[in-house]
Amino acid sequence: YNMTQRSTYHRRRAQVTILEGPVHQFKPTDIGGCVLWLGPESLTEIDDGGAIGLWRDGSGRNNHVSQAIAASRPTCRVVNINGKTSKVVRFDGVDDYLSGGDIIEPPQITMFAVAMSTNIAQTRVLVGKGNGGSYLQSYTLANVGGKARSSISKAGPTDVPADSSATLSNSTFLIYTGRYDQLNVESRVNGVGLVQVAETAAIMYSTEPFAVGILGDLTSFSWNGDIVEIILYGEALNGGQRVVVEQYLSQKYPIMLV
């Protein structure tokens, strides 16, 4: 994938131009608005099998996620992802999770995650901010009924979900993309299968902390599998920016965009 051309995009009212090199040199922070970047680069000091009490944020915003309860810490594992060896964060599907602060309460959002689940059919949360019991969530990226779900909540409270068009496969690393631009809630898997649900409302504010692997305090939604990378932007990326991030993840892990 050749990204040697210049790409120009608008962020808020300022025009920003990036000279892009080969995709392996790209970093999520090269695109403005990155508020969270969790990846294996932040796991270098944790051995295979070690408990993860802190996953450091690489966005420069210090939005680290952590777990003070020893029994609820996920585990660092070294795995083979399509021929590439990488550290991942393994969640037990019982009570493992990591939490942060507010991180973002945005009018718009774009979410990316690379993860695999051992039971796609179950409702399990990759990332989210809110209370799953009363649907007071701001935004969520999850598996629901064998589909990938991107959702936001609006006043009511009312959940506005967009589920992927294709049924997912167990124990397969996938690239999840969720986006909300105050026109549509969008969901994609591996760069394709766009599903849009029309919505223009503001995202409802939640006082619950942002969390990885859980929503609120509902352990029944705990992620059951591995998460290797999470990237959040506090705005709706345009199509070109989204493709750049998906291509970066595709080549890094090798996952084919179909």
Side-chain angles (χ1 to χ4, degrees):
Y1 184 77
N2 183 0
M3 292 198 297
T4 58
Q5 72 276 12
R6 297 178 72 90
S7 66
T8 302
Y9 61 90
H10 290 81
R11 178 173 180 262
R12 299 197 173 117
R13 293 187 177 178
Q15 189 179 62
V16 182
T17 302
I18 293 177
L19 181 62
E20 295 161 353
V23 72
H24 67 274
Q25 295 179 0
F26 170 82
K27 300 187 300 297
T29 51
D30 291 341
I31 295 176
C34 183
V35 297
L36 181 72
W37 175 23
L38 304 173
E41 297 85 356
S42 300
L43 301 173
T44 55
E45 296 179 358
I46 304 175
D47 294 332
D48 184 24
I52 298 173
L54 176 69
W55 197 359
R56 293 189 179 278
D57 170 33
S59 73
R61 304 288 187 97
N62 294 321
N63 287 322
H64 316 304
V65 292
S66 61
Q67 178 54 266
I69 303 170
S72 295
R73 290 174 179 168
T75 305
C76 179
R77 302 301 310 194
V78 176
V79 303
N80 185 297
I81 304 176
N82 302 320
K84 176 177 179 177
T85 300
S86 177
K87 286 185 175 180
V88 301
V89 180
R90 179 161 297 171
F91 296 79
D92 64 5
V94 178
D95 59 2
D96 288 355
Y97 67 97
L98 298 165
S99 62
D102 271 355
I103 295 189
I104 45 173
E105 287 295 346
Q108 303 179 353
I109 191 169
T110 309
M111 303 175 283
F112 300 90
V114 178
M116 77 85 175
S117 172
T118 57
N119 193 333
I120 287 292
Q122 296 177 338
T123 298
R124 301 290 177 159
V125 175
L126 270 164
V127 297
K129 188 177 189 302
N131 185 324
S134 56
Y135 290 95
L136 295 176
Q137 63 247 38
S138 298
Y139 47 85
T140 307
L141 201 59
N143 284 338
V144 179
K147 304 295 182 73
R149 171 171 293 183
S150 169
S151 66
I152 62 101
S153 286
K154 63 180 181 179
T158 303
D159 189 29
V160 184
D163 292 352
S164 65
S165 58
T167 300
L168 310 181
S169 298
N170 285 328
S171 302
T172 301
F173 279 93
L174 304 167
I175 300 171
Y176 295 75
T177 304
R179 179 178 178 271
Y180 180 57
D181 61 358
Q182 293 183 286
L183 294 174
N184 296 285
V185 181
E186 298 179 355
S187 178
R188 287 178 173 84
V189 178
N190 291 350
V192 297
L194 169 65
V195 172
Q196 292 179 312
V197 175
E199 185 55 64
T200 60
I203 296 176
M204 184 174 174
Y205 177 76
S206 170
T207 58
E208 296 288 334
F210 172 84
V212 176
I214 201 172
L215 184 61
D217 56 359
L218 288 184
T219 55
S220 58
F221 289 168
S222 297
W223 187 256
N224 52 352
D226 298 343
I227 301 175
V228 62
E229 190 145 347
I230 295 170
I231 306 166
L232 265 63
Y233 293 88
E235 55 191 60
L237 300 191
N238 64 36
Q241 295 166 340
R242 174 186 58 78
V243 169
V244 168
V245 178
E246 289 171 341
Q247 287 282 358
Y248 154 76
L249 295 171
S250 170
Q251 292 201 10
K252 186 174 181 179
Y253 293 110
I255 298 171
M256 182 177 296
L257 299 178
V258 293

